[in-house]
Amino acid sequence: MKKTDQSFKVKTFAREQSVRLSEKTISGTTDLSNFLASVADVFLFINQIIKETFSRNFEVREFFYQCFKIGYKTLPLITITGAIMGLVLTVQSRPVLVEFGAVNALPGMVAVSLIREMGPVITALICAGKIGSGMGAELGSMKVTEQIDAMEVSSTNPIRFLVVTRVLAATFMIPLLILYADAFGIFGSWAGANIKGNVSFVLFCSQAFSHLDFIDFIPAVIKSFFFGAVIGLVGCYKGYNAGRGTVSVGIAANSAVVLSSLLVIIVDMIAVQITDMMII
């Protein structure tokens, strides 16, 4: 009897362990399949955007309207951001340069820092918060209120009208906003330099641009196009694929900001590595 009881306990324990392992395996397989399905969904979404971008019936009017919304209505925020970037960088760097007797290098250092790295990245993160969340919330609310379904019923392609125009507008307007922020960053730097000194604007700009080369502009401009494309794609994808409840609108906007900001940093890291290899 004792041997029978022990063998029964061993069989029961082995059966329980096998059930637990099978549940873990099923759970892990389900998570992996969901992840792969979401990745495939993203690539299909991008494929649809590429196809509709080069279609004959491109929504030109809607594209220019989205350029107006993304570009012109973001100018006040970008103006303040650019000026504060240059002002803070100058005020924080000046005491260190005074200790080494290199105050004359301040305009060049600020200009190189702004144009190469700080201007594109900080401006792109600001745009991810404003533009990306706006796209996610707008398309998410249209998804919840079934306006996208109504467009499909009325033979209007929602990808072409809603998504392509926004992605292209973000791709072309965010580089212009970054250049605009760089210009106001130089102006803010000049204002910061005049807090404890007296430098003319023409002299400050000549000293700043004398330290800049053509190679400083090209990588920053190229990666700014990728920043705009990432922000537009993520914002539109999260909004277009939002759930049916009203809570999903907030979730889409929040996830659009978080993911686009993370991808902007990743794209910048890749761009810095590529630029470093090209310069070497």
Side-chain angles (χ1 to χ4, degrees):
M1 292 295 293
K2 290 183 178 179
K3 291 182 179 181
T4 305
D5 293 338
Q6 289 179 354
S7 62
F8 178 76
K9 290 180 180 179
V10 170
K11 291 179 180 179
T12 304
F13 178 76
R15 190 181 299 112
E16 291 176 354
Q17 293 298 320
S18 63
V19 169
R20 291 177 182 176
L21 288 174
S22 62
E23 290 177 351
K24 290 181 179 179
T25 304
I26 292 172
S27 177
T29 306
T30 304
D31 294 338
L32 180 61
S33 62
N34 291 334
F35 174 75
L36 294 177
S38 62
V39 171
D41 192 31
V42 170
F43 280 104
L44 290 174
F45 188 74
I46 296 174
N47 185 38
Q48 285 181 312
I49 293 174
I50 295 173
K51 285 183 178 180
E52 295 300 331
T53 301
F54 298 100
S55 63
R56 294 182 180 179
N57 300 321
F58 182 75
E59 301 289 343
V60 179
R61 185 175 181 180
E62 180 66 17
F63 168 71
F64 283 111
Y65 175 68
Q66 293 300 325
C67 288
F68 171 77
K69 285 181 62 178
I70 292 174
Y72 179 75
K73 293 195 173 182
T74 317
L75 284 181
L77 180 61
I78 299 302
T79 301
I80 297 172
T81 303
I84 291 176
M85 276 194 300
L87 178 64
V88 171
L89 185 60
T90 302
V91 171
Q92 291 292 327
S93 303
R94 192 176 188 279
V96 179
L97 294 177
V98 168
E99 291 182 2
F100 291 96
V103 184
N104 293 330
L106 180 62
M109 186 206 71
V110 173
V112 171
S113 301
L114 282 175
I115 291 174
R116 278 190 177 182
E117 193 65 25
M118 286 190 63
V121 174
I122 294 179
T123 307
L125 292 176
I126 295 295
C127 291
K130 185 181 185 301
I131 298 170
S133 63
M135 290 181 180
E138 187 177 6
L139 294 183
S141 62
M142 294 179 71
K143 185 77 171 181
V144 170
T145 56
E146 298 181 352
Q147 296 181 43
I148 295 178
D149 297 335
M151 292 178 66
E152 293 177 350
V153 171
S154 61
S155 300
T156 301
N157 193 327
I159 296 290
R160 184 192 306 155
F161 186 81
L162 298 175
V163 178
V164 172
T165 54
R166 285 169 171 80
V167 172
L168 290 180
T171 303
F172 287 107
M173 293 309 297
I174 287 179
L176 297 179
L177 292 174
I178 288 174
L179 293 176
Y180 181 81
D182 291 340
F184 266 87
I186 300 295
F187 179 79
S189 177
W190 169 73
N194 279 276
I195 293 177
K196 294 184 179 180
N198 187 11
V199 183
S200 66
F201 185 71
V202 176
L203 177 61
F204 187 88
C205 288
S206 64
Q207 290 178 349
F209 287 101
S210 64
H211 291 79
L212 291 172
D213 295 324
F214 191 68
I215 194 64
D216 296 323
F217 286 94
I218 296 302
V221 172
I222 291 175
K223 70 181 179 181
S224 63
F225 282 99
F226 286 96
F227 291 163
V230 163
I231 292 170
L233 282 171
V234 173
C236 291
Y237 176 78
K238 291 296 182 180
Y240 193 85
N241 293 282
R244 293 292 180 180
T246 55
V247 181
S248 61
V249 177
I251 295 174
N254 183 44
S255 59
V257 174
V258 173
L259 184 57
S260 59
S261 300
L262 179 62
L263 289 177
V264 162
I265 296 173
I266 293 174
V267 169
D268 180 66
M269 179 188 67
I270 296 172
V272 167
Q273 296 295 325
I274 294 174
T275 305
D276 185 61
M277 289 189 294
M278 289 174 61
I279 293 176
I280 292 176

